Amino acid sequence: MQGLSKNPFSRPHIEIHKPAWKRMLEKSSVQLLIALLVVMFGIIIFKYLGQHQGPQLILNTLILHKGQLDVIKRSTLITQTDDIVRSTDNRKIINQWKSLSACVPTTCPDAEYFNFIITVTEEENIPHNDLILNLIRTYKYWNSPDDILDFSKALTDVNNEVDTIGSREVTKAWAEIVKCNGKCENVNMLYFDMIKAVVLESSAEE
């Protein structure tokens, strides 16, 4: 049997080793890429949490304001809210929360709840923050003739933004406040209901 002839043009296989410095450079590049991805992911998570801490704080505050929780549910909600407040690492929010939480076991005046909502809205990244702040301004100035200019501007801004949002719940809540004209016994609750509607609408938009 005739043996196979070797290809005269074939060359022996030569294994090429990369220099050590090149291997180290490639390894360092991969590690750097992984580190950058981790940092970018951390930034995205931080921004996401920043966008959702504020609204959650306001919603928790509104639940506490209603006062319809048993002692276990209320304690759980207070603890959860305290954790969120501390995670913001914002001194203004922390101090305002201390003031509010100190009177929760008894009966906090509505002003404490409004002040906490104002602080969170100003300090955190909350959608429609101008609407919430102007809304509370109308509450403060509604029956104050000395502040008619501030009241009129705030009310106009709220009315325009409500029209822009176009939410049925927000529009309905605003209509109730306008109808009340600052004279209803439950006027404070109407404002809290509208703040809730605005925050929930903002969450639905995301």
Side-chain angles (χ1 to χ4, degrees):
M1 182 176 182
Q2 187 176 0
L4 297 174
S5 59
K6 293 183 178 180
N7 186 349
F9 298 102
S10 65
R11 296 181 180 180
H13 176 71
I14 301 176
E15 186 176 355
I16 300 176
H17 295 280
K18 295 181 180 179
W21 66 267
K22 193 169 184 179
R23 294 198 304 271
M24 290 181 62
L25 181 60
E26 289 179 349
K27 184 177 180 181
S28 299
S29 299
V30 172
Q31 291 175 338
L32 179 60
L33 179 60
I34 293 174
L36 288 174
L37 290 174
V38 170
V39 171
M40 289 175 63
F41 181 74
I43 292 174
I44 292 172
I45 292 297
F46 179 79
K47 288 184 176 180
Y48 177 85
L49 291 176
Q51 290 174 347
H52 290 75
Q53 283 177 328
Q56 190 60 56
L57 281 176
I58 292 178
L59 292 176
N60 286 7
T61 303
L62 295 174
I63 295 173
L64 284 174
H65 175 262
K66 278 197 169 184
Q68 298 176 349
L69 301 175
D70 61 42
V71 65
I72 294 178
K73 291 181 179 179
R74 187 186 68 180
S75 298
T76 301
L77 183 61
I78 290 174
T79 301
Q80 179 197 58
T81 305
D82 187 68
D83 290 341
I84 298 174
V85 166
R86 295 186 182 282
S87 71
T88 66
D89 198 28
N90 185 299
R91 183 52 52 187
K92 291 182 179 179
I93 294 177
I94 292 173
N95 288 339
Q96 197 63 57
W97 168 243
K98 286 181 180 179
S99 178
L100 176 61
S101 60
C103 63
V104 166
T106 54
T107 302
C108 289
D110 286 347
E112 284 287 349
Y113 290 96
F114 279 123
N115 288 337
F116 183 71
I117 291 171
I118 290 171
T119 302
V120 172
T121 303
E122 288 178 339
E123 298 297 321
E124 289 291 295
N125 183 22
I126 295 181
H128 304 306
N129 54 350
D130 286 340
L131 172 57
I132 295 174
L133 294 174
N134 280 319
L135 178 65
I136 297 176
R137 288 189 186 101
T138 67
Y139 166 77
K140 290 183 175 181
Y141 301 146
W142 201 292
N143 293 312
S144 177
D146 293 337
D147 298 300
I148 186 63
L149 293 179
D150 291 332
F151 167 75
S152 298
K153 185 179 186 310
L155 189 142
T156 301
D157 288 344
V158 170
N159 197 65
N160 289 340
E161 191 154 359
V162 167
D163 288 342
T164 300
I165 293 175
S167 162
R168 179 185 300 177
E169 293 301 319
V170 173
T171 301
K172 181 181 177 181
W174 177 234
E176 289 295 324
I177 291 175
V178 173
K179 181 181 178 181
C180 172
N181 197 22
K183 300 175 182 178
C184 303
E185 291 183 2
N186 65 333
V187 60
N188 290 12
M189 186 55 67
L190 293 179
Y191 273 91
F192 287 124
D193 287 344
M194 179 162 176
I195 292 171
K196 179 181 178 181
V198 172
V199 174
L200 290 177
E201 177 63 25
S202 302
S203 301
E205 290 175 353
E206 296 178 359

